[in-house]
Amino acid sequence: MDTDSHSRGKSHLAEDFFDDFTNSAHLFHDDVLKRVASIDSPKKAFNILNKYASRCRRLNGENLNFSIDERESQMISSPSVETLIHLGAEKFIKSSSKVSDELSVLSHPYPSSVLCQSEEDCVGVRLVQSLLSCAEKVDKKEYEEAYELLLECDRMSSSRGSVVERLVFYFSEGLYERIDRETGRVTPKGLGKKFEDPLVAVRSPDETMIAFHNELPISQITKFAGMQAVVDNVGEARKVHFIDFEIRNGIQCIILMQALVDRCGNPLDSLRISAVCVGGETRAGVEATGRRLASFAGSLGLSFSFEVVVVEDLLELDEKSFSRVDVDEVVVVYAEYTLSYMIGGSDRLHHVMKVVRGLRFRVMVVAEVEANCNSPIFVERFVEAMLFYGAYFESMSVCMRSVEHRCIAEATCFGASIRNVVAAEGRERKIRHVGIGVWRAFFARFGFEETELSMSSLYQANLVVKNFASGSFFTFGIDGKSFIIGWKRTPMSSISAWRFDVPI
């Protein structure tokens, strides 16, 4: 396949490609939402919730956890945030339309009176109902009614309350800003409130990131399973060049070093790490990470080198940005929760993929959010985001002992992302998470072929969850050849591996 000419033949920008995929039913297989021009907001919410429940059932059917006996009673004993969102959505739909006959497909097998076991649960359901009603009013441009509902959400929600209260707090902020953007006014809780660029906010302080890694299993699952995929694909290579597009504190590199050194009968001659750094202001932090990695490599007796590849803009990145690749060196590309942030940029993702392809890599390992927060239709995007972030908020609430670090993460990384998903449109909407099916089709344009993750990666993931009291709530599944990580069977992240076989 002539991948160069194939790529040149595509005139769409990367973000146009992803928007096209969001709107193309045949590319979403079972996950597709049937779009009808005359459909009303409650029916949209019903379709989305139905689709989301279908995704969870598929993950449930393909569960790959090694030990799940104790999980069922735990899940039923206390309603999950997703269940509370579904109950709130049912009340919203019943109060807004005449689709109650269809709710049997959506409803949980237990009645609301059984599922809402506490006053907190009941408040959560009412909050979800009010929030969805507000989103509907905003969608219909009924701003005064929406504003009244937001005031009600304000009274019942808090950034330090229950999971649903915190979730509604941040989604309300997004709705305030969206109303301001559409009406041209500036209110204290909308455009008048100072907020950080979401692509800056996702880089939480190092202390918070370390707390994430230590206390939240999904962080360790991603890194250990991802590095196992690297080890599986480099084979017996003696020289490895590891290119990381979001190195942060480099924990994944430490895991990789230890795994490569521990290979039986295949000692490593050298490991070279290149960390891509966009914008000079982050260089000092990346260089500090490099020094820590060099110290760790020295303790292992590993021949190690580290380089920071600094560009002001990803469009400046090219093959010459990296030091000369040794002919005996196996190139590995690692992208953890970073490629989706390039979708909204001016063709940066397309450019980066061309550069990566030119490096003739052995394997590219990608970890990404498994959610569809890129729909151009506001109500669909709103409900999808609420379900995804609801699962994440709940997992953090259960897993993280450090309330302060959890609150920092929610207020910065997650709060800014939610606000952007809800309030922004066009080029200003920078958070555009998409599912593995969309990534699969996108990578295929560049001649990348998905390679199956080994059982060793799954084994690493299961080892991680066994170390956490809350580990039993994390579930694993397979989509094609990719690995899906879920919280109580709600998909949250995907890990995939890709190869590019250069014709001789």
Side-chain angles (χ1 to χ4, degrees):
M1 176 181 183
D2 183 351
T3 52
D4 283 319
S5 61
H6 180 67
S7 178
R8 285 193 300 270
K10 299 289 184 179
S11 58
H12 287 172
L13 298 177
E15 61 269 27
D16 295 330
F17 172 88
F18 282 93
D19 284 342
D20 290 345
F21 266 59
T22 303
N23 286 306
S24 297
H26 70 283
L27 292 173
F28 272 105
H29 42 85
D30 324 38
D31 284 354
V32 64
L33 295 174
K34 305 294 185 182
R35 300 192 195 321
V36 181
S38 61
I39 201 168
D40 61 13
S41 295
K43 189 65 175 292
K44 288 178 186 176
F46 168 76
N47 283 345
I48 298 164
L49 288 161
N50 244 349
K51 180 215 64 163
Y52 210 86
S54 175
R55 290 174 67 194
C56 295
R57 285 194 292 270
R58 284 206 313 280
L59 185 57
N60 180 24
E62 299 176 7
N63 191 282
L64 297 174
N65 295 68
F66 289 167
S67 176
I68 60 173
D69 295 340
E70 62 196 294
R71 187 175 292 105
E72 301 304 327
S73 61
Q74 290 176 311
M75 288 186 177
I76 295 173
S77 63
S78 179
S80 67
V81 169
E82 183 191 336
T83 298
L84 296 179
I85 291 174
H86 275 249
L87 292 175
E90 288 177 21
K91 288 182 176 295
F92 158 65
I93 294 167
K94 286 178 179 178
S95 67
S96 304
S97 65
K98 297 180 180 180
V99 296
S100 56
D101 291 341
E102 301 179 58
L103 288 175
S104 58
V105 183
L106 170 66
S107 299
H108 199 283
Y110 302 97
S112 300
S113 59
V114 174
L115 289 172
C116 290
Q117 299 177 0
S118 67
E119 178 61 25
E120 182 179 289
D121 293 341
C122 295
V123 170
V125 171
R126 291 198 297 272
L127 264 173
V128 170
Q129 181 181 2
S130 296
L131 187 69
L132 288 173
S133 298
C134 181
E136 179 194 26
K137 296 298 183 183
V138 172
D139 189 49
K140 293 180 175 180
K141 303 188 183 305
E142 298 171 358
Y143 301 119
E144 294 307 318
E145 292 91 335
Y147 202 81
E148 290 300 315
L149 286 164
L150 277 177
L151 293 177
E152 180 181 342
C153 289
D154 281 349
R155 288 191 294 270
M156 299 170 67
S157 65
S158 165
S159 63
R160 288 183 176 262
S162 69
V163 177
V164 174
E165 288 170 3
R166 301 197 312 270
L167 187 71
V168 170
F169 177 86
Y170 290 110
F171 272 84
S172 295
E173 284 194 334
L175 287 172
Y176 273 118
E177 182 182 333
R178 188 176 183 91
I179 292 173
D180 279 7
R181 284 173 179 265
E182 294 186 358
T183 60
R185 61 189 180 187
V186 178
T187 60
K189 293 185 178 181
L191 288 174
K193 184 173 182 178
K194 183 179 179 181
F195 59 93
E196 199 170 17
D197 184 304
L199 298 189
V200 175
V202 294
R203 295 178 172 86
S204 297
D206 284 346
E207 296 82 1
T208 299
M209 294 303 299
I210 291 171
F212 249 59
H213 179 75
N214 290 337
E215 300 177 19
L216 200 63
I218 194 168
S219 175
Q220 293 191 28
I221 293 167
T222 299
K223 290 175 172 60
F224 277 95
M227 291 306 98
Q228 184 62 51
V230 171
V231 172
D232 290 339
N233 280 276
V234 298
E236 299 180 1
R238 305 289 289 270
K239 297 180 180 180
V240 176
H241 183 188
F242 184 80
I243 300 173
D244 197 323
F245 274 88
E246 190 64 71
I247 197 165
R248 302 198 182 204
N249 50 30
I251 294 174
Q252 65 276 10
C253 300
I254 291 175
I255 296 169
L256 177 63
M257 286 184 200
Q258 190 69 63
L260 290 174
V261 168
D262 289 346
R263 291 189 308 184
C264 296
N266 293 302
L268 192 67
D269 289 343
S270 67
L271 172 65
R272 181 154 64 98
I273 294 179
S274 295
V276 177
C277 175
V278 182
E281 62 184 33
T282 60
R283 179 169 188 159
V286 175
E287 288 176 339
T289 294
R291 289 190 292 271
R292 289 193 296 269
L293 294 178
S295 177
F296 183 75
S299 71
L300 299 175
L302 177 62
S303 176
F304 174 81
S305 63
F306 184 87
E307 67 172 342
V308 183
V309 178
V310 180
V311 291
E312 288 302 315
D313 191 301
L314 282 170
L315 292 175
E316 299 173 8
L317 189 72
D318 59 28
E319 295 166 41
K320 295 178 181 178
S321 301
F322 302 90
S323 299
R324 186 179 65 85
V325 176
D326 191 307
V327 291
D328 297 327
E329 206 172 53
V330 168
V331 177
V332 174
V333 176
Y334 183 65
E336 180 181 334
Y337 303 120
T338 186
L339 296 184
S340 62
Y341 299 134
M342 302 179 195
I343 294 175
S346 176
D347 213 18
R348 285 165 178 79
L349 181 58
H350 188 273
H351 175 77
V352 167
M353 289 299 100
K354 290 196 294 183
V355 172
V356 165
R357 187 180 63 194
L359 295 171
R360 311 295 177 93
F361 62 87
R362 171 73 62 84
V363 66
M364 177 175 70
V365 176
V366 177
E368 271 299 343
V369 165
E370 183 61 19
N372 174 30
C373 298
N374 192 36
S375 173
I377 300 175
F378 170 66
V379 172
E380 292 182 358
R381 189 168 77 243
F382 187 91
V383 177
E384 284 272 4
M386 188 166 59
L387 286 161
F388 167 73
Y389 286 106
Y392 229 113
F393 273 42
E394 184 178 23
S395 70
M396 289 190 293
S397 187
V398 172
C399 299
M400 294 191 72
R401 299 182 299 275
S402 173
V403 175
E404 282 306 311
H405 284 307
R406 190 205 72 208
C407 290
I408 289 171
E410 289 177 353
T412 56
C413 173
F414 293 96
S417 294
I418 290 170
R419 188 170 180 134
N420 186 257
V421 167
V422 172
E425 295 294 350
R427 291 296 178 88
E428 292 186 343
R429 184 155 54 85
K430 300 176 181 180
I431 305 300
R432 293 172 172 263
H433 301 306
V434 295
I436 187 62
V438 179
W439 287 115
R440 187 174 289 129
F442 180 71
F443 291 144
R445 300 175 75 208
F446 298 89
F448 300 168
E449 182 178 350
E450 189 175 9
T451 183
E452 193 165 7
L453 296 176
S454 71
M455 287 301 293
S456 295
S457 289
L458 178 60
Y459 181 71
Q460 290 289 343
N462 274 281
L463 283 179
V464 169
V465 297
K466 288 179 180 178
N467 291 327
F468 291 87
S470 58
S472 62
F473 291 114
F474 285 88
T475 46
F476 309 136
I478 294 294
D479 184 313
K481 296 179 179 180
S482 297
F483 180 36
I484 307 297
I485 307 166
W487 168 259
K488 295 184 179 181
R489 311 203 192 285
T490 298
M492 293 175 69
S493 295
S494 66
I495 304 174
S496 58
W498 306 84
R499 301 189 71 147
F500 178 57
D501 296 323
V502 182
I504 299 175

